[in-house]
Amino acid sequence: MNWYKLAKVGWFIGCTVACLLSSARADDLTDRDVLWRQNAFLCAIASPTFPSKEIVGQPLDCDDGDMTLFNGLLCAAGESEGCDAVARSQGTNGRWWRSPRRIGWEAPAYDVSFSPDQSLGVLLYSVQTGDAVRFSRWLSWLEANRPCLAKVGGTCVQLGWLRFCTDDPDKRCTLRPADCVRIEEVARKLSVDGTLCRRIMRELHMPEDVLLPLGEFLIGAATVDDPGYPQHLVGVDIMLARRLDVDLSKVDQAAAILFGRTSDNAFFRYLYEGATQEVKADALTTCPAPDRLSINRFQWTWERETKANSWAESMYWECIFLGDLLRQ
């Protein structure tokens, strides 16, 4: 046999082995997805049920205070239950809440009813579903529920800046420049009017030059935000920006910075590399398996600093989410 034939035989064997390994890994991911879905926690307090964390030590109760964010992520990955949960978290007046069962829950009796973090879930839902009606109703609510800056004889004569909720004494619901830019970009994607921030800036004589391109915000946040949930929010922002097709070179740069700073996070690796075998291996290693099930289903693993045996606290939904992305 000449060298050419030997080379062809070697190439065929190598290709066959690689294909078999790739197929095996794909099957591992599919099989593991079945396990994750069998064990993922659903909040059954509100009907119909929706994806949630559970409260540690109270397996029949729901830790759903951040679920509009996480259900928005699930929706963006193709999970219809996530989309439905975000849609049902909007009140009849257009206001969005933290989960379907938390509609009407306000501080101080409960946690503050919404936050900029939760708005990312709304934006992902809006882009994924193209639901311009709910999105437009939300923008109308935001504009109609600005705080009062000045009153004359009990009548408000000057409304203030935009906010995501009305029950935040610490002002955590106040819109930031990056929030305005995201809203503008999603509005553009849905072909609706998203100019409310700029209109109110002009009314209040605020400078519009703080509304930088989204990619600029992402690079800055990826560079300085702390590990844990702040970095995870950068990752969510990167995912949203790619769905919007904006500033893609800067978005890629932000993904590289984020992964360079925290390379042991499978979600960040996915944002940087795409659906590689390395990301699949990381997900399978990090997430629960038949011989290591979650003990307390209360963590969205990708928003926490990596630690040993993180699978023991997985809510399973974050693994379903990443598995969906890896199969797309």
Side-chain angles (χ1 to χ4, degrees):
M1 184 179 293
N2 61 34
W3 287 109
Y4 174 73
K5 291 182 178 179
L6 281 172
K8 285 189 67 176
V9 171
W11 175 87
F12 175 78
I13 293 173
C15 180
T16 301
V17 171
C19 290
L20 287 172
L21 285 173
S22 176
S23 175
R25 287 171 180 166
D27 289 342
D28 286 344
L29 189 61
T30 301
D31 291 343
R32 196 77 69 85
D33 182 72
V34 174
L35 173 76
W36 297 335
R37 291 178 188 277
Q38 289 171 342
N39 289 277
F41 183 74
L42 289 166
C43 183
I45 296 175
S47 182
T49 62
F50 61 90
S52 176
K53 300 179 180 182
E54 68 177 342
I55 296 178
V56 179
Q58 300 181 50
L60 298 181
D61 207 349
C62 317
D63 181 358
D64 54 346
D66 290 326
M67 285 315 301
T68 291
L69 168 61
F70 297 129
N71 276 313
L73 283 162
L74 287 168
C75 177
E79 294 293 325
S80 60
E81 285 179 297
C83 298
D84 178 67
V86 176
R88 290 194 293 120
S89 298
Q90 187 180 42
T92 55
N93 62 354
R95 179 177 179 174
W96 242 296
W97 304 79
R98 290 178 175 270
S99 83
R101 75 158 180 158
R102 286 177 175 254
I103 293 177
W105 290 25
E106 292 189 306
Y110 303 95
D111 189 13
V112 173
S113 59
F114 209 66
S115 71
D117 300 357
Q118 302 309 302
S119 74
L120 287 167
V122 171
L123 297 175
L124 284 167
Y125 160 85
S126 300
V127 172
Q128 177 70 17
T129 63
D131 192 343
V133 173
R134 287 184 182 274
F135 183 74
S136 296
R137 287 174 54 222
W138 183 45
L139 298 192
S140 296
W141 184 88
L142 293 176
E143 189 159 8
N145 286 272
R146 297 153 57 191
C148 183
L149 286 183
K151 289 184 178 180
V152 174
T155 300
C156 185
V157 296
Q158 180 57 66
L159 294 172
W161 183 238
L162 295 158
R163 53 187 176 174
F164 288 119
C165 68
T166 59
D167 59 321
D168 58 334
D170 55 1
K171 309 303 180 188
R172 76 176 75 173
C173 273
T174 301
L175 269 72
R176 304 157 299 187
D179 298 316
C180 287
V181 174
R182 293 186 197 103
I183 286 172
E184 281 191 347
E185 293 294 350
V186 172
R188 186 176 296 115
K189 185 82 171 180
L190 299 180
S191 300
V192 301
D193 181 10
T195 61
L196 75 166
C197 281
R198 293 187 187 273
R199 285 189 279 104
I200 295 167
M201 281 179 163
R202 292 166 195 152
E203 176 188 326
L204 299 176
H205 306 290
M206 298 167 63
E208 293 181 50
D209 57 6
V210 297
L211 301 182
L212 303 174
L214 187 54
E216 298 285 352
F217 286 114
L218 287 176
I219 290 174
T223 303
V224 303
D225 280 15
D226 292 334
Y229 79 87
Q231 284 191 345
H232 177 258
L233 292 174
V234 179
V236 176
D237 228 349
I238 288 170
M239 184 175 173
L240 174 64
R242 284 184 172 152
R243 300 294 174 96
L244 295 169
D245 295 320
V246 296
D247 300 340
L248 291 183
S249 63
K250 290 181 180 178
V251 172
D252 290 345
Q253 191 177 340
I257 294 169
L258 185 64
F259 177 66
R261 293 182 63 205
T262 306
S263 59
D264 56 358
N265 185 306
F267 175 47
F268 297 171
R269 186 168 205 154
Y270 166 79
L271 293 172
Y272 176 58
E273 295 181 357
T276 64
Q277 292 298 338
E278 288 75 18
V279 179
K280 293 179 183 179
D282 282 355
L284 292 171
T285 300
T286 305
C287 288
D291 60 341
R292 53 171 203 272
L293 300 178
S294 178
I295 301 168
N296 290 312
R297 296 171 292 179
F298 74 103
Q299 295 284 21
W300 182 277
T301 302
W302 320 129
E303 72 161 347
R304 300 296 180 215
E305 293 186 60
T306 304
K307 63 179 183 180
N309 301 332
S310 59
W311 45 265
E313 298 175 346
S314 168
M315 64 187 291
Y316 288 98
W317 284 111
E318 82 279 23
C319 299
I320 294 169
F321 159 77
L322 188 54
D324 285 343
L325 294 179
L326 290 170
R327 286 190 296 273
Q328 289 177 5

